[in-house]
Amino acid sequence: MAGFVAGAPVSAAVAQIDPSPFGEHRRALSLAEMQTAFDFEPVFRGNVSLPVYDYTAHGDGSEFNVQRNRQAFDWVDIAPARNAIPEAQVDLSSELFGVRMKFPILIAPTAAMVPLHPEGEIGMFKAATAAWNTLMILSTNTSTPVAKVAPSAPGGTLWAQFYPQQNLAATQQWMDTYQNAGCNGIIVTVDQQAAYYERSLQNRNLGGRVRTAGLGQGARGAAATLTGAARYRVNPGRLWYTWQYIDAVRKMVKGPLLLKGIQDPEDARLAIAHGADAIIVSNHGGRSMDYGPSTLEIMPEIAAAVNGRIPILFDSGIRRGADIFKALALGADGVCLGRAARWGLGAFGPAGAQRLIEILQRELVQVAAAAGCAKLTDINKTRVKINFA
Amino acid sequence: MLRRKLDLLRPAPEKRELINADDETIVAKETRFPAGVTSRRQAIGVTGTAVCASLVGTAMPALGAPAQTATPLREPTPPPALAPQADLVNVLAYEPQARLVLGPQKVAPILGSDRTVTDRITLRPRVNIPTRDLDLTSTLFGDEHFAPIIVGPIADQKRFHAEGEAAMARGASAAKAAMVVSSDASLPLATIAQAATTPLWLQVYANSPKVKDVLAEASAVRAKAVIVTLNAGTSASGPATPASARIDWSAVDAVVKATSLPVIVKGITRAEDAKEAVAHGAKGVVVSNYRGGDAAALTGTLLFVAPVVQAVGDQIPVLVDGSFRRGTDILKALGFGAKGVLIGRPVMWGLAAYGADGVQGVVEMLQTELARYMCMCGRPSLASVNSSVLRVHAALPPARINGG
């Protein structure tokens, strides 16, 4: 007996002790425990398969731009207010093309929500509407037809997004479908002309979905018959976009026409010249172009170019109320939630999406109150300090 | 229950060896919970007892045999498996494959990148500018180049692949890229020229005694240009010249006099040196901080390009080399006014891991990436690329805790 005891492998025994003995009680947090938008992401990640998660998370190329979108919020400080006001005095309501908004927050168009949650786009629309009638923009790559989504949340406002279709008849068909379903605002996405997702390719290598159909980076060589960008193995499908096309779409859209993906003051001026009613300053959440600037960095120069002529919406990287405050201070009239809203839906379904929107709304009110801003027009450049150059 | 606990404490001899094994993973692996322990909690209870028991045991004379010397009980690691080339998603992914094939010693001279400068520069995306007819071709020294990406000079490529420069030339030709052959190549220039269908340039060391023979050989195989590497001694294996050393222009003069081919001076980092190069008859310069021999000189060269272009860009083409790993890096160099970039280490990674196919893969990947970013910046041709495609940022304040 003594021998056995003496020979007991002390170090081996120590190695067996669980460094976190309560680990087996680890669990996913419940909806009631969600404190910030960030809390939703791990729950969402646990709910869906890796390709579905990565489809929401990934960005173009090295994802430098995805990271920079977030970093840029650290490069702007909110100036301490001399006189904070009570939250009850804060009213951030506004009107955007006839739509009354209690908060300057919209749901950005993002594709295929049914893989996130069975209720998909309908669930998201119900959630957005339940969260103080938050306006939702439906993606052209929706997994639920617009005719089913639009009537699913009475009282809500649904706008629709689409990618340019070179065929004008096909474009007209899209417009008819959207406008007949009751989508007044039309968003045309003009960025992401030749994006490429390395992360999704890695997934393919791990046994995920193959996403390399057609000409891609994986394709080698080039047929002698190819011309232009295709010679360099770039998919030319979206390389035809022109401002003349925007002119043509302008004539088809009865309501407001918004151009999404504007990242340059010159493009902002051109958008106005070609009849856009508003622009969305967006780099597609880092999914459009690697090594592009963050949207927050370019916001001041675009706001200067637009000079109040049309409303500017902002997206890419919003996770907190303070982020929204900074975007508004640098000239945005409203912000769109893309990934964050998807986290909410994917984590807890419509209730999660609603809760996430409400968290950001509340955070924004808290920040505005602390900064002494009672209304939207009080949130301006004087309330922040810009540290980037 | 007690009996089972005691059984667990029985020191099996092979386990005792592990006490001395200085490797946590082995210990953890070999002391898996025995059968019968069903949960982690139960196991903690058991080990708790074991620890107490052992503490008691230390006060008693050990009856068991003394611990034997440790023998490595490593699990055999699986043999390195080269990834299928089609699985590599970017140029940087070739580097670990080359390491796999070559091993740590042989791969050392071609490892590494310095892309810190490139992270301070962003590109300016534009919309609604048609780029379907994208054209990356340009004319350099009388030849049309498919894209402004050239395979740079690397000495003695048989160090990295059995077929050496011949495979490199085949790969570069397959990707429609010109190639610079080092005068320290492991194969005769004629053999390399036979494998190539794209323009070959020849690199020489200005102070090398064999420079005359090399130049004669270059003319014989119809090389299209000669690159003189400054301040790099007389060969790739020779000692590095300090960055502060004065440039020996007489050696450049000697090369210019000895050949009818256009002479490109490589190793320029300052505008005044570039002007001097033009005065000494250079028909092109390569902005580069390569100083021969040692691989330590890796500082990004991107920010040196603009001053050199400003000084001589209207007279001769300015090329650049140094840590180009992505199409975005190359577009930045073009934005600063470079007419082309030389690729060194990445094509060696491709060559080492996959031979000519790897070279082709790396070069084509860079071509494709450059093409994509030109499309997204609304630049349909090289002539339309200028500094307005770039934003150079100051060093930014460090990120704070905003990540959640």
Side-chain angles (χ1 to χ4, degrees):
Chain A
M1 172 65 201
F4 293 154
V5 172
V10 175
S11 59
V14 169
Q16 279 189 0
I17 293 174
D18 190 326
S20 55
F22 299 105
E24 71 188 57
H25 298 296
R26 206 177 291 131
R27 60 178 173 78
L29 295 182
S30 71
L31 177 56
E33 292 162 291
M34 295 290 109
Q35 301 293 330
T36 74
F38 291 104
D39 295 341
F40 289 81
E41 191 186 12
V43 181
F44 160 60
R45 188 174 189 156
N47 282 356
V48 297
S49 65
L50 183 66
V52 171
Y53 172 78
D54 276 349
Y55 181 78
T56 295
H58 68 195
D60 181 55
S62 70
E63 301 187 356
F64 172 96
N65 195 213
V66 178
Q67 292 171 32
R68 195 175 181 96
N69 279 339
R70 288 296 306 143
Q71 287 168 353
F73 290 107
D74 281 353
W75 303 334
V76 175
D77 293 331
I78 298 173
R82 287 201 201 88
N83 42 354
I85 56 170
E87 284 171 34
Q89 285 179 23
V90 176
D91 175 13
L92 301 178
S93 62
S94 61
E95 197 175 302
L96 186 66
F97 303 119
V99 180
R100 291 287 307 161
M101 302 202 300
K102 187 165 166 62
F103 300 98
I105 300 173
L106 297 80
I107 301 302
T110 61
M113 293 182 189
V114 166
L116 308 181
H117 188 271
E119 292 194 47
E121 282 80 3
I122 290 173
M124 183 71 94
F125 189 35
K126 282 181 178 166
T129 305
W132 299 102
N133 275 326
T134 297
L135 196 162
M136 172 168 155
I137 305 171
L138 186 72
S139 165
T140 190
N141 293 323
T142 175
S143 41
T144 317
V146 60
K148 282 193 179 167
V149 181
S152 64
T157 308
L158 189 71
W159 288 357
Q161 171 268 348
F162 90 121
Y163 288 98
Q165 305 284 317
Q166 199 164 12
N167 183 334
L168 286 179
T171 304
Q172 183 68 58
Q173 222 168 355
W174 277 108
M175 294 301 124
D176 292 345
T177 308
Y178 285 149
Q179 299 184 62
N180 292 343
C183 297
N184 188 35
I186 298 291
I187 287 83
V188 181
T189 302
V190 289
D191 67 345
Q192 210 189 34
Q193 301 95 324
Y196 211 74
Y197 304 122
E198 286 175 11
R199 198 199 293 211
S200 295
L201 284 181
Q202 298 283 22
N203 278 358
R204 175 203 64 188
N205 299 346
L206 294 170
R209 187 154 69 103
V210 176
R211 294 177 56 87
T212 51
L215 285 166
Q217 201 152 340
R220 302 217 352 250
T225 53
L226 293 178
T227 60
R231 274 193 301 170
Y232 300 98
R233 300 161 291 278
V234 178
N235 185 337
R238 286 182 180 173
L239 301 182
W240 60 270
Y241 293 1
T242 59
W243 288 105
Q244 288 75 28
Y245 177 80
I246 302 300
D247 295 336
V249 173
R250 172 70 278 182
K251 289 184 193 121
M252 300 175 193
V253 177
K254 299 176 195 115
L257 170 70
L258 290 81
L259 292 195
K260 176 169 174 283
I262 301 295
Q263 297 179 65
D264 196 88
E266 188 53 32
D267 284 338
R269 284 187 206 100
L270 285 166
I272 297 173
H274 289 272
D277 296 303
I279 55 170
I280 306 184
V281 174
S282 164
N283 56 31
H284 225 114
R287 302 156 85 86
S288 179
M289 193 186 87
D290 200 14
Y291 280 97
S294 64
T295 41
L296 198 67
E297 282 172 279
I298 54 179
M299 201 50 221
E301 49 190 280
I302 293 181
V306 170
N307 198 16
R309 283 179 285 172
I310 56 170
I312 305 175
L313 300 182
F314 173 101
D315 73 23
S316 304
I318 297 282
R319 303 287 182 270
R320 289 187 185 279
D323 301 340
I324 302 174
F325 185 92
K326 291 170 187 177
L328 297 175
L330 296 193
D333 296 290
V335 302
C336 307
L337 306 178
R339 282 198 186 89
R342 291 173 73 87
W343 295 349
L345 183 71
F348 299 104
Q354 180 187 345
R355 175 95 181 103
L356 185 140
I357 299 165
E358 288 169 353
I359 285 174
L360 290 190
Q361 290 170 339
R362 216 189 80 193
E363 285 178 352
L364 175 60
V365 168
Q366 286 169 343
V367 174
C373 300
K375 48 191 194 301
L376 265 187
T377 45
D378 294 343
I379 305 178
N380 56 41
K381 246 184 175 169
T382 63
R383 307 293 179 156
V384 292
K385 181 170 167 284
I386 298 174
N387 296 314
F388 57 74
Chain B
M1 183 62 196
L2 178 65
R3 176 191 287 270
R4 203 176 73 200
K5 281 186 183 171
L6 290 176
D7 282 349
L8 287 175
L9 296 177
R10 188 191 305 277
E14 66 273 19
K15 281 192 181 168
R16 256 196 288 128
E17 288 172 13
L18 292 170
I19 299 172
N20 292 338
D22 187 18
D23 189 327
E24 275 188 20
T25 56
I26 295 174
V27 173
K29 199 159 274 168
E30 295 299 320
T31 52
R32 246 175 276 139
F33 304 137
V37 180
T38 51
S39 79
R40 233 192 293 183
R41 173 130 339 272
Q42 218 178 330
I44 291 163
V46 172
T47 48
T49 317
V51 170
C52 297
S54 334
L55 289 176
V56 174
T58 48
M60 304 179 182
L63 297 182
Q68 294 161 19
T69 48
T71 49
L73 280 178
R74 281 179 195 288
E75 295 243 331
T77 47
L82 198 65
Q85 199 189 334
D87 280 5
L88 305 187
V89 298
N90 58 34
V91 164
L92 291 157
Y94 278 84
E95 188 174 10
Q97 303 305 320
R99 184 198 284 271
L100 262 184
V101 170
L102 295 175
Q105 268 89 43
K106 279 176 151 184
V107 83
I110 52 170
L111 285 187
S113 315
D114 178 3
R115 298 178 67 253
T116 47
V117 175
T118 210
D119 278 359
R120 273 185 46 207
I121 304 167
T122 58
L123 299 167
R124 191 185 289 266
R126 295 296 306 272
V127 299
N128 293 345
I129 299 172
T131 50
R132 200 171 243 186
D133 297 326
L134 180 80
D135 185 6
L136 299 184
T137 59
S138 62
T139 305
L140 283 175
F141 311 112
D143 292 306
E144 180 169 280
H145 291 249
F146 179 65
I149 298 168
I150 295 162
V151 172
I154 296 124
D156 192 10
Q157 295 179 9
K158 277 199 176 172
R159 285 180 292 169
F160 309 112
H161 189 268
E163 289 183 78
E165 285 80 0
M168 180 66 84
R170 281 207 312 279
S173 294
K176 303 185 199 171
M179 170 180 169
V180 187
V181 180
S182 165
S183 57
D184 284 349
S186 52
L187 291 170
L189 190 53
T191 315
I192 302 166
Q194 248 169 7
T197 56
T198 47
L200 282 189
W201 299 353
L202 183 75
Q203 175 269 343
V204 298
Y205 294 96
N207 298 322
S208 163
K210 58 177 185 178
V211 69
K212 280 238 166 78
D213 303 339
V214 173
L215 290 174
E217 217 184 335
S219 301
V221 300
R222 298 213 187 93
K224 296 306 183 76
V226 172
I227 288 192
V228 184
T229 307
L230 292 176
N231 283 5
T234 55
S235 73
S237 49
T241 314
S244 57
R246 288 181 53 121
I247 295 170
D248 179 8
W249 291 108
S250 65
V252 175
D253 291 335
V255 174
V256 170
K257 207 179 280 179
T259 180
S260 57
L261 295 172
V263 173
I264 304 163
V265 174
K266 176 169 176 277
I268 301 285
T269 50
R270 302 184 307 167
E272 49 266 45
D273 293 343
K275 284 183 188 156
E276 194 80 353
V278 174
H280 286 272
K283 294 286 186 286
V285 290
V286 181
V287 173
S288 169
N289 54 17
Y290 174 78
R291 303 251 166 237
D294 76 301
L298 266 174
T299 335
T301 43
L302 268 179
L303 295 181
F304 300 146
V305 175
V308 171
V309 169
Q310 208 179 0
V312 300
D314 52 346
Q315 304 164 57
I316 55 168
V318 175
L319 308 174
V320 57
D321 77 358
S323 285
F324 289 92
R325 303 291 182 262
R326 287 185 177 275
T328 46
D329 303 348
I330 298 172
L331 182 50
K332 287 168 189 176
L334 301 183
F336 284 122
K339 297 286 182 225
V341 300
L342 271 54
I343 307 298
R345 287 161 211 242
V347 287
M348 295 312 306
W349 304 336
L351 178 74
Y354 306 99
D357 279 355
V359 175
Q360 183 188 356
V362 166
V363 175
E364 288 190 343
M365 215 174 233
L366 291 173
Q367 290 168 347
T368 302
E369 289 184 359
L370 172 62
R372 290 201 299 114
Y373 292 100
M374 284 187 55
C375 291
M376 285 188 278
C377 294
R379 314 284 168 151
S381 68
L382 292 182
S384 64
V385 177
N386 52 38
S387 62
S388 70
V389 79
L390 306 176
R391 280 190 178 89
V392 182
H393 302 269
L396 290 160
R400 297 188 295 269
I401 307 163
N402 196 9

